[in-house]
Amino acid sequence: MVWDGVLDLTKWAQENKTDPLLWSIEVRSCLNAAAVPLPSAELAHRLVSHIFWENHVPLTWKFLEKAMELRLVPPLLLLALLSAKVLPHRHAHLHPSAYALYLHLLNRHAFALTPLISSPEYPTVMRSVHHALRFSHLYPSQQQPLHPGAVLVQFLFTVVWQLVEASLEDEGLLEPSSRFFLFADSDSAAAAVDSRAANYFADHKDGNVLHRKNTATAIEVIARFLHNKVTSRILSLVHRNMPAHWEPFVHQLQRLVGNSLVLRSLKHITPESLLPLDSKTNGLLSPEWKATPPKLDLSAVMAANAGSRVSCALQSHHDSWSSLWLPIDLLLEDAMDSDHVATTSAVEVLTGLVKALQAVHGTAWHNAFLGLWIAALRIVQRERDPSEGPVPRLDTCLCMLLCITTLVVANIIEEEEGELIEEAERSPTNQRKDKQALGERRGELITCLQLLGDYEDLLKPPQSVIWVANQAAAKATLFVSGHNGYLGSMNVNDLPMNCSGNLWHVIIEACIARHLLDTSAYFWPGYVSAPCSQIPHSIPNHLPSWSSLMKGSPLTPPLVNVLVATPASSLAEIEKVFEFAINGSDEEKISAATILCGASLVRGWNVQEHVVFFIINFLSPPIPPKYSGTESHLISYAPFLNVLLVGISPVDSVQIFSLHGAVPLLAAALMPICEAFGSCVPNVSWTAATGEKLSCHGVFSNAFVLLLRLWRFDHPPTEHVMGAAATPALGSQLGPEFLLVVRNSLLASFGKSPRDRISSRRYSKMITIATEPVFMDSFPKLNIWYRQHQECIASTRSALAPGGPILQIVDALLSMMCRKMSRSSQSLASATSGSSSSSSSSLDDILMKLKVPAWDILEAAPFVLDAALTACAHGSLYPRELATGLKDLADFLPASLATIVSYFSAEVTRGVWKPAFMNGTDWPSPAANLAIVEQQIKKILAATGVDVPSLAIDGNTPATLPLPLAAFLSLTITYKLDKTSERFLVLTGPSLINLSAGCPWPCMPIVASLWAQKVKRWSDFFVFCASGNVFNHRRDAVVQLLRSCFTSTLGLGSASMYNNGGIGALLGHGFGSHFSGGISPVAPGFLYLRVYRSIRDVMFLTEEIVSLLMLSVRDIASGGLPKGEVHKPKRTKHGMRYGQVSLAASMTRVKHAALIGASFLWISGGASLVQSLIIETLPSWFLSAQGLEQEVEESGVMVAMLRGYALACFAVLSGTFAWGIDSLSTASKRRPKILAIHLDFLANALDGKVSLRCDCATWRAYVSGIISLMVSCTPLWIQELDVGLLKRVSMGLRQLNEEDLALRLLEIRGASVMGEVAEMIIQSEL
């Protein structure tokens, strides 16, 4: 046989000391004659078997080396076979010379990878290597069969790890528990060591010397693998794709670096150079990767190597620090809009936003935390001197600063620590770590809060919070002075004189309360002005307080009053109140409910989230043990439930539930109450805590009105048919069904992420919320009403059947409304009933007929309203009588306000009613102050450049309103502004504003004028609402407002308020005439955030924002020069300059412009607009060129490149805002499909399948920019995409000479492309 001949030839050459070259020529001839393909894997196996260990002599090793040089055998396969034979016998008393020769061959041949992957035998060779080293046993988690490149990665990693472990063992440093390789020869016969050879080496010192030298050589080879550009990058693939093996490898490498004496004796290798690892990621970094990033230059975006540098440009720290966090300011201000009740927790939204901005900007976490807190402080400072109106904002702003922001930081910290715990539990080498493992972000928080203390102007507390700030400072002062424990019983007059605090102290207390900090913060420099030498002489221990409750005091009226007015400071105090609500008497239960709905809900910032969920828990009381009634058990809890419903009805309370994301849970708790009390006949009454009589109608109305405020019930039905659009406006689908879907989803998913498992520890174990899904079918009466409400909006009501039960209720309601009228009561009643008997009925008879369930009254209400409005239209009912009748109906059943709102809104939309003349005779007249309103609107909009239509009205053309709107307006004006009416005005007020906003100009200014006459102190609020109406029907006005937002923030305008730009110019100081000089222009960003929800079709905003971004890029690049004066870039000693500004500064401002555009796009339409941008707008822009060809010729290639860079930043920023950088949000589930469509467009365009009309420089900058940003900032996005698609994009990038970027794109994808990436790394060195 041929192999016997080869071995005979080798033995003969060995005996005759034949030259290795001649031996190799004869072997090649022999194999060629036998038609054996070369290099031959079988020859490698035969030679290794021949040499070890009977023929282990220098000449045979020379044969091996010559066979490798001449490619008779595959070098890598031979090295793999040698490692299995040599390493177990490398010790001084065995064969150290073989180890030395193996290291020599390894150092010479293991780095020659280019010939390997270009060889046709490459796949076969790698399969042989895979079997020779038993990779399926070593790495069982890797999918089989492996790509040849993946086997190559495993080979290099195995070789390096073997050397590390061998070096540790040789120096006695290897921990037995951490051993990975057994170094046992697979052939048991070969493992029997020749005793004579062993004795020979044992008797000679040369063996020990060579053994130590081998260890040094092995360390040198390890260093070469880790520092070589190709092999180090290939090894980094193991870190990304084989973390379970990478971690123990790094552990052993670190042990070698820290303890090896041989390593310390080497002259050219230091421990630091042997360990080129990134401390945060344990990722290998070759020396050139660790170098300082290049300076921001034009090449950072457009040159051949742009891919790795665009992210550096985006992450530049040279721009205005504050502007990096502009989206947070916008989101916080937007959340203050009380007209919008969000179903998503502000904590979750802000958490995702902060994480996205931190990733995109590449800042340290303490900077991200600082940006968040400064934005929250700014919103509080904007409310220091608010303009008075029906919507208080300060408590909501303080909730955002002291509770929501703190919870966002807690979320981010707990997410990291949850992942650390999970990683420790999964780790095969580490023992399970302490569950309280601390991550780096907790330390970053401390740095942030220490820096925050320097922002003194922002930390000045509003007047109502000064006492809280002083109390926080006093607590720290007493603690530092050793007098801890006295503060709880102190009076405001007893505080030490030097305890003057600010919002910094309150923020620190909020963090301590949630265990993000400990009391060591009290000792920070400057936190305490001076220690307190003595405590106050008089400690008024007799005063009731929360400490009294905790010591066991009963809930006496004085104590209850104190606890209602004073917020709780700890969860234990809230749980104590909860115990009274569960186990106390009926009176104690009502007291507990009153306490929780007091200051602890509105200003209990340290416990607010607990209070919110306890209240929701209270709204679902358990069935009493011995309950046997036929009606709902909730009826027996009427007084208790009513206290809760009234307590949480104020605007700021509902907003607090919204900020905490509790609206879906609250809605699900209110629906059973509405169902039960709405189905109950009001035969029983209770005495409320205030002494007033309480019926089931009253409890139902309080619950029902509160439920309606939890979705966009008050928005006019014009929203449902927006021009030629095929679908309703964004957000209009929100309703009770949607709230239940969100609720079910929240409860089903909570607790599954590591962050949830840690954050759940913060919540009380006493809170029990049923997790079973709830559906509308569980509430048949509510479901019927909701369908009727939708029919009313669509104006598809059916006619009444004569004599039906509802007809009798309609008759009784009309009689009640008509009893005070001077005329026509009989005709009004008979118009519906066909008889006149009801009109003469006494009030008692009427009320007796109306002792029916509230649901039946709501079913009859639309027909009552239709009859009344029809009578008024025909002159048989005076307008004032109509308003009085509507007020009587609303007073009888406040829940009927819901029907009044939906009916009048629908009738305004139908447009079949004649107008009402607001002449002061039949209807109230706005003439007294309409001119003033017009003047103030023009002042408010002065900064936007938008024209205000004239409001001039003369005697011949009096002001008019649609009749249903006039009737609704007259009803709202009849209400007194007291506590009882407030919880119903919060429904009708926003409804009136939104309905007026949907009517033609000047309906809204007329409504504002009339309400300003009624409540003069609210004049600014109504004028501001009227000013926003200018944008409701005019797209050009909206675009102009957005343009003002860009120019003001970027400082591109000529107006004085734009000179400095930034967040101050964008959001300003609010609105109102309380500033010096009277009412002043409102900042464009603040104005936009108050009007964008009224835009009927926001889809057009996508293209408009892209156009505004492109115009901003041109203006930034020109430095304010006219287009004709823009010159080519010039290189100066300060860097590149373009126009009047440096190129670096231009790129920074372009990034800022993209940030502005992405923020407004996301806030305006959420994920829907971002999807439209990625799938439709951007591809269309590149395909159509948008008429920019001539402009590009005028402004040059640099502007074209900057545009591409701007669009790349814009796209990635918009995506991070909408989808997040991880997979925690619901919106992230749609991300892979949307990105796949866009990257498919990129791949087709790069492959020439799509013809583009945009400038080539713009396209190149965009492609390299967006891929680079995804690689650097959103790697998870890439991991979700199809491998084939990424390969196509990668190939296109290589055609653009973006080799490095193409490689990094595939690197991130993971193990499925590890082999291809390894081959690309090798090919990139050709």
Side-chain angles (χ1 to χ4, degrees), residues 32-88:
N32 287 338
V36 176
L38 298 177
S40 169
E42 181 64 24
L43 177 60
H45 282 280
R46 297 277 181 170
L47 290 176
V48 170
S49 298
H50 170 72
I51 293 175
F52 298 99
W53 290 94
E54 296 295 333
N55 298 287
H56 167 46
V57 294
L59 183 59
T60 56
W61 280 87
K62 291 180 180 179
F63 290 165
L64 282 181
E65 183 171 21
K66 188 59 67 174
M68 296 171 74
E69 288 178 357
L70 298 181
R71 293 297 186 267
L72 298 181
V73 295
L76 253 63
L77 174 59
L78 190 57
L79 290 174
L81 296 172
L82 289 176
S83 69
K85 294 289 185 180
V86 172
L87 286 171

Side-chain angles (χ1 to χ4, degrees), residues 937 941 1001 1023-1032 1087 1090-1091 1094:
I937 290 175
L941 301 183
W1001 185 268
V1023 171
F1024 179 73
C1025 292
S1027 66
N1029 188 236
V1030 175
F1031 304 94
N1032 286 5
L1087 185 59
R1090 293 297 171 267
V1091 304
S1094 300

Side-chain angles (χ1 to χ4, degrees), residues 227-373:
H227 284 271
N228 180 271
K229 182 178 180 181
V230 174
T231 56
S232 65
R233 192 157 189 178
I234 291 176
L235 289 173
S236 71
L237 298 176
V238 180
H239 164 237
R240 185 179 296 277
N241 302 304
M242 301 167 60
H245 297 90
W246 179 258
E247 185 179 342
F249 164 72
V250 169
H251 173 73
Q252 290 190 358
L253 185 60
Q254 290 172 337
R255 185 170 179 81
L256 181 67
V257 168
N259 300 280
S260 173
L261 296 178
V262 174
L263 173 59
R264 282 168 170 71
S265 69
L266 298 177
K267 295 181 179 180
H268 304 294
I269 299 177
T270 63
E272 292 76 17
S273 66
L274 186 62
L275 193 64
L277 295 165
D278 183 274
S279 60
K280 293 185 179 180
T281 64
N282 284 351
L284 276 170
L285 297 173
S286 66
E288 53 194 272
W289 293 357
K290 294 179 70 176
T292 304
K295 294 181 180 180
L296 195 62
D297 199 352
L298 184 62
S299 61
V301 188
M302 290 35 132
N305 295 324
S308 61
R309 300 183 181 181
V310 170
S311 60
C312 298
L314 187 58
Q315 297 170 13
S316 171
H317 294 272
H318 299 296
D319 57 359
S320 172
W321 181 86
S322 184
S323 66
L324 296 177
W325 316 107
L326 177 142
I328 299 178
D329 286 85
L330 290 174
L331 181 62
L332 294 183
E333 186 60 57
D334 184 52
M336 293 301 103
D337 185 359
S338 62
D339 191 28
H340 176 65
V341 180
T343 58
T344 307
S345 166
V347 177
E348 295 301 320
V349 177
L350 271 171
T351 299
L353 179 59
V354 172
K355 287 163 58 179
L357 290 172
Q358 188 274 338
V360 172
H361 295 315
T363 62
W365 273 110
H366 73 265
N367 279 328
F369 294 152
L370 190 61
L372 172 64
W373 251 301

Side-chain angles (χ1 to χ4, degrees), residues 1200-1221:
M1201 293 176 174
L1202 287 175
R1203 280 186 171 135
Y1205 170 56
L1207 290 173
C1209 295
F1210 178 50
V1212 173
L1213 286 166
S1214 299
T1216 59
F1217 296 164
W1219 308 318
I1221 60 171

Side-chain angles (χ1 to χ4, degrees), residues 634-635 637-639 641-643 645-646 649 669-682 684 686 693-709 711 779-786 788 852-859 861 889-890 892-899 983-984 987:
L634 295 173
I635 304 298
Y637 287 97
L641 293 174
N642 194 66
V643 169
L645 295 171
V646 173
S649 63
L670 291 174
M671 288 179 189
I673 299 175
C674 294
E675 189 74 17
F677 285 91
S679 304
C680 181
V681 177
V684 182
W686 303 268
K693 289 294 182 180
L694 182 67
S695 70
C696 59
H697 280 183
V699 178
F700 169 77
S701 292
N702 290 330
F704 189 61
V705 168
L706 183 58
L707 176 63
L708 294 181
R709 292 166 55 197
W711 77 85
F779 315 106
K781 294 290 187 181
L782 175 62
N783 203 9
I784 291 171
W785 171 85
Y786 184 59
Q788 183 193 35
V852 295
W855 291 120
D856 294 345
I857 297 176
L858 291 183
E859 185 178 354
L889 174 61
F892 173 72
L893 183 68
S896 63
L897 285 169
T899 306
R983 59 180 178 269
F984 305 119
L987 176 70

Side-chain angles (χ1 to χ4, degrees), residues 502-809:
N502 58 23
L503 290 175
W504 187 33
H505 298 90
V506 188
I507 290 171
I508 297 299
E509 286 302 317
C511 292
I512 292 175
R514 290 179 174 84
H515 307 294
L516 299 176
L517 297 175
D518 55 31
T519 50
S520 63
Y522 295 157
F523 296 92
W524 290 351
Y527 190 76
V528 172
S529 344
C532 179
S533 57
Q534 60 181 6
I535 62 174
H537 296 292
S538 60
I539 302 298
N541 291 322
H542 61 279
L543 292 178
S545 63
W546 280 98
S547 59
S548 306
L549 178 71
M550 299 304 291
K551 292 175 183 177
S553 297
L555 285 178
T556 60
L559 179 59
V560 170
N561 292 337
V562 170
L563 301 187
V564 169
T566 309
S569 59
S570 69
L571 175 58
E573 294 171 348
I574 298 298
E575 290 178 335
K576 188 70 174 179
V577 175
F578 182 76
E579 291 175 5
F580 280 102
I582 296 300
N583 304 317
S585 63
D586 290 344
E587 186 177 348
E588 286 176 331
K589 289 180 179 179
I590 291 176
S591 296
T594 306
I595 291 169
L596 281 192
C597 295
S600 294
L601 172 61
V602 179
R603 295 203 168 188
W605 303 301
N606 296 345
V607 294
Q608 201 169 58
E609 68 273 28
H610 306 297
V611 175
V612 164
F613 290 110
F614 270 120
I615 290 175
I616 293 175
N617 213 36
F618 283 170
L619 288 171
S620 303
I623 300 176
K626 298 181 180 180
Y627 184 78
S628 59
T630 56
E631 60 186 9
S632 171
H633 74 283
L634 295 173
I635 304 298
S636 62
Y637 287 97
F640 173 72
L641 293 174
N642 194 66
V643 169
L644 292 170
L645 295 171
V646 173
I648 63 177
S649 63
V651 176
D652 44 3
S653 298
V654 172
Q655 195 71 0
I656 286 169
F657 276 85
S658 173
L659 292 176
H660 284 282
V663 165
L665 298 176
L666 178 60
L670 291 174
M671 288 179 189
I673 299 175
C674 294
E675 189 74 17
F677 285 91
S679 304
C680 181
V681 177
N683 292 324
V684 182
S685 64
W686 303 268
T687 302
T690 57
E692 62 179 334
K693 289 294 182 180
L694 182 67
S695 70
C696 59
H697 280 183
V699 178
F700 169 77
S701 292
N702 290 330
F704 189 61
V705 168
L706 183 58
L707 176 63
L708 294 181
R709 292 166 55 197
L710 302 185
W711 77 85
R712 299 183 69 175
F713 165 82
D714 57 284
H715 279 238
T718 51
E719 186 180 68
H720 291 252
V721 183
M722 48 176 205
T727 57
L730 296 174
S732 65
Q733 298 298 310
L734 188 60
E737 294 168 318
F738 178 75
L739 289 174
L740 291 180
V741 169
V742 175
R743 178 257 181 205
N744 297 340
S745 175
L746 281 174
L747 294 179
S749 61
F750 183 77
K752 294 185 178 179
S753 70
R755 187 181 75 193
D756 285 345
R757 286 192 283 275
I758 288 192
S759 62
S760 60
R761 300 175 188 172
R762 285 191 270 114
Y763 290 97
S764 172
K765 299 298 183 288
M766 294 183 177
I767 297 177
T768 56
I769 297 178
T771 57
E772 295 81 11
V774 180
F775 304 99
M776 280 292 287
D777 293 341
S778 304
F779 315 106
K781 294 290 187 181
L782 175 62
N783 203 9
I784 291 171
W785 171 85
Y786 184 59
R787 303 303 168 205
Q788 183 193 35
H789 166 68
Q790 292 179 313
E791 290 177 2
C792 182
I793 285 180
S795 299
T796 58
R797 290 191 320 277
S798 58
L800 279 175
I806 297 301
L807 181 59
Q808 297 177 10
I809 299 175

Side-chain angles (χ1 to χ4, degrees), residues 942-1156:
T944 66
V946 174
D947 295 328
V948 179
S950 175
L951 295 179
I953 296 174
D954 55 35
N956 298 324
T957 56
T960 61
L961 290 178
L963 179 61
L965 176 58
F968 188 29
L969 170 63
S970 299
L971 168 64
T972 61
I973 291 177
T974 62
Y975 274 92
K976 295 180 180 179
L977 301 181
D978 54 26
K979 277 288 184 183
T980 304
S981 301
E982 180 185 347
R983 59 180 178 269
F984 305 119
L985 279 173
V986 293
L987 176 70
T988 59
S991 301
L992 176 65
I993 291 174
N994 289 317
L995 180 56
S996 306
C999 293
W1001 185 268
C1003 290
M1004 184 64 219
I1006 292 172
V1007 171
S1009 298
L1010 290 170
W1011 257 99
Q1013 292 176 29
K1014 176 179 174 65
V1015 191
K1016 287 186 172 58
R1017 66 181 186 276
W1018 290 358
S1019 175
D1020 291 346
F1021 171 81
F1022 291 111
V1023 171
F1024 179 73
C1025 292
S1027 66
N1029 188 236
V1030 175
F1031 304 94
N1032 286 5
H1033 308 286
R1034 294 175 51 194
R1035 286 190 175 186
D1036 62 315
V1038 175
V1039 174
Q1040 178 59 40
L1041 180 58
L1042 277 172
R1043 182 179 291 108
S1044 298
C1045 292
F1046 274 88
T1047 54
S1048 63
T1049 313
L1050 298 171
L1052 296 174
S1054 57
S1056 59
M1057 69 175 295
Y1058 296 166
N1059 285 346
N1060 296 323
I1063 295 170
L1066 180 65
L1067 293 177
H1069 48 65
F1071 67 91
S1073 57
H1074 53 288
F1075 302 105
S1076 59
I1079 200 162
S1080 57
V1082 174
F1086 185 90
L1087 185 59
Y1088 182 82
L1089 292 176
R1090 293 297 171 267
V1091 304
Y1092 78 87
R1093 288 191 179 92
S1094 300
I1095 301 172
R1096 298 184 182 180
D1097 181 8
V1098 297
M1099 301 306 292
F1100 82 99
L1101 291 176
T1102 311
E1103 292 185 3
E1104 296 295 344
I1105 291 176
V1106 170
S1107 298
L1108 290 172
L1109 176 60
M1110 296 297 95
L1111 292 173
S1112 299
V1113 171
R1114 184 199 66 192
D1115 293 342
I1116 289 169
S1118 65
L1121 293 176
K1123 286 195 293 185
E1125 298 181 27
V1126 179
H1127 304 290
K1128 293 182 179 180
K1130 300 177 181 178
R1131 185 173 296 278
T1132 69
K1133 62 180 180 180
H1134 302 294
M1136 295 289 287
R1137 298 190 69 81
Y1138 190 79
Q1140 299 298 308
V1141 293
S1142 70
L1143 189 58
S1146 293
M1147 293 181 67
T1148 299
R1149 295 181 74 193
V1150 164
K1151 179 205 70 175
H1152 191 189
L1155 188 65
I1156 297 168

